[in-house]
Amino acid sequence: MVIEDALPRFEGDLRRGAIVLAAMSQLATAQYGYSLRQRLAEHGMEVEEGTLYPLLRRLENQGLLSSEWRIEDGPPRRYYRMSDEGRRLYPQLVTSWRNLSAVMENLFKEGHPYDL
Amino acid sequence: MTSDELIQRYAQAVASRLPYAIRADVRAELYALLHDDIQAKAGDTIPSLQQVEERIIAFGPPQEVALRYHRPTPIIEAVDTPLFSKLAFCLVLGLIVLAISIGLSSPTATSAMLQDGLKDAIFIVLGVLLAWFWALGALRRAQPKLFTWKPANLPPVLDPDLVSRPIATLGLLAGVVGLLILINPIFFFDLLLGGQSPAMLAQAFSYDIHFLSDRAPFLWGALSLALLTYAFAILEGRWRPVTRKLALCLSLAIAVISLWSVLAGPMFTATPTDSSMKFWVSLIAGVTCADVWLKWRNQTLKTHLAQAKQL
């Protein structure tokens, strides 16, 4: 079925932007990749490791995160946290997300002729 | 191979596809992340090779994962791809037509020589085109201001069926003069030199008697009909579907008659003139064939679009 094939693709498109915000929401304190993924999963946000780990580096390159290597229990791990730039941008992104979410809710209420 | 070695190999395979500056860092991080992930799944036991394989398969092929870490700049940017494809196609087609024209006009050119020459020319042309587009992309990334888009620069929307009378009339005049020169080149030289052309010149541009009697009437006739169709379109001020189709059929007929004229025997009595003429006639016939094909395709697409609109 075309719809069955399309669902994961469209869902992926919808989640792509949300993952950035979801990751930033948990990086007020330093986290390494695996622990961040666990925290997101605990909140119901399952993210594939192959997507999340490269994303963290991209966000660091864009200046939203900073990172450092630490040796605690286990092998050396790279810990990420929001940079000053990220901390400035994060509340604005959250506001944008809430506005967008409210707009979408209104659209769903008014626009769809079928029961959801 | 141990499970730890497999993780190391995978991290290495991903890192080796990345720029040197981030390679070691990504390798170490990826190793630590996969190690943690797999160990968490295995619990207190040592993870089996199969468990590691399953995890890294889920993570993705190394080349795809490397792309998620670092997306290299493309050699040809997506915005330039249609123009690159069009230019590459036209240039390769042009080179093939050129090679065939040389083959048909030059008695000394062998098939092997032509194939080798064509192969080299295609590689050189495509290589230069690739380098040009790569440099264009690099310049666009380095100096984006140079490529700032402005609405004023948009080209005007032209009616493809509209005939610009002044330009078309000039084209028609040039076509008529060209045809007259082709029919009687000696007369043209006489006019140009203000009297009798030198005997050598007259000899060099004398048509072969068989060409004049067998093939020339068809060629001159088809060319004259094409010019008449063009004149009719100028009078009407636009191309109609009928005149467009007629012009296309005549162009195809001219190309076929031209090729027949080249292949059936000498066109001029003097060999050097004959070779030169055959080269140009073949070249024009080849270009005409390509032009007819493109116009026919556009015409068909236009007809389909019109039919779809009616439905």
Side-chain angles (χ1 to χ4, degrees), chain B residues 73-202:
Chain B
T73 48
I75 296 172
I76 298 170
E77 292 199 21
V79 289
D80 294 325
T81 309
L83 180 62
F84 175 84
S85 308
K86 266 186 200 169
L87 282 175
F89 176 76
C90 291
L91 287 169
V92 169
L93 191 66
L95 286 172
I96 291 169
V97 169
L98 191 68
I100 293 171
S101 306
I102 294 169
L104 291 175
S105 60
S106 169
T108 53
T110 62
S111 170
M113 271 166 61
L114 284 171
Q115 277 179 25
D116 285 347
L118 180 63
K119 226 173 357 185
D120 291 349
I122 286 175
F123 276 118
I124 290 168
V125 164
L126 290 183
V128 169
L129 197 65
L130 196 68
W132 169 257
F133 273 86
W134 172 81
L136 183 71
L139 185 65
R140 191 186 284 125
R141 286 189 294 275
Q143 300 287 334
K145 279 184 184 170
L146 287 177
F147 296 88
T148 309
W149 177 79
K150 286 177 190 148
N153 294 345
L154 286 170
V157 179
L158 298 174
D159 179 355
D161 292 332
L162 198 71
V163 177
S164 164
R165 281 198 173 113
I167 297 171
T169 308
L170 281 176
L172 181 66
L173 278 175
V176 171
V177 172
L179 180 61
L180 290 175
I181 294 171
L182 207 59
I183 291 172
N184 195 345
I186 313 291
F187 178 73
F188 167 72
F189 288 127
D190 285 346
L191 269 181
L192 202 69
L193 299 170
Q196 187 78 29
S197 299
M200 294 278 277
L201 194 64

Side-chain angles (χ1 to χ4, degrees), chain A residues 19-20 23-24 27 30-33 36 51-70 77-87 89, chain B residues 21-22 25-26 29 33 68-69:
Chain A
I19 293 170
V20 173
M24 286 177 79
L27 289 173
Q31 301 281 335
Y32 65 96
L36 174 64
T51 303
L52 182 64
Y53 302 154
L55 174 75
L56 293 173
R57 287 195 78 95
R58 284 209 303 274
L59 292 178
E60 189 191 14
N61 286 340
Q62 289 163 4
L64 300 182
L65 303 181
S66 58
S67 74
E68 60 177 347
W69 283 97
R70 284 190 206 164
R77 293 179 180 119
R78 196 184 188 104
Y79 280 74
Y80 293 89
R81 63 183 302 160
M82 262 195 281
S83 64
D84 292 342
E85 180 73 17
R87 268 193 292 275
L89 191 68
Chain B
I22 60 167
D25 208 36
V26 170
E29 186 184 15
L33 288 166
R68 287 179 216 149
Y69 274 101

Side-chain angles (χ1 to χ4, degrees), chain A:
Chain A
M1 282 290 285
V2 176
I3 294 295
E4 281 169 10
D5 293 342
L7 185 63
R9 194 156 38 88
F10 284 113
E11 224 174 26
D13 288 346
L14 285 175
R15 283 165 59 90
R16 201 155 293 135
I19 293 170
V20 173
L21 201 53
M24 286 177 79
S25 74
Q26 301 301 306
L27 289 173
T29 54
Q31 301 281 335
Y32 65 96
Y34 180 70
S35 68
L36 174 64
R37 199 162 78 86
Q38 292 296 101
R39 281 182 74 145
L40 290 172
E42 281 165 18
H43 288 84
M45 187 76 174
E46 296 279 355
V47 186
E48 285 175 18
E49 56 269 56
T51 303
L52 182 64
Y53 302 154
L55 174 75
L56 293 173
R57 287 195 78 95
R58 284 209 303 274
L59 292 178
E60 189 191 14
N61 286 340
Q62 289 163 4
L64 300 182
L65 303 181
S66 58
S67 74
E68 60 177 347
W69 283 97
R70 284 190 206 164
I71 302 173
E72 290 176 354
D73 54 329
R77 293 179 180 119
R78 196 184 188 104
Y79 280 74
Y80 293 89
R81 63 183 302 160
M82 262 195 281
S83 64
D84 292 342
E85 180 73 17
R87 268 193 292 275
R88 265 197 301 276
L89 191 68
Y90 177 66
Q92 296 171 43
L93 288 175
V94 171
T95 308
S96 297
W97 176 266
R98 285 186 175 137
N99 290 341
L100 183 66
S101 178
V103 169
M104 293 307 291
E105 273 305 319
N106 283 337
L107 289 172
F108 296 149
K109 272 181 209 160
E110 292 171 16
H112 208 290
Y114 310 108
D115 289 330
L116 288 172

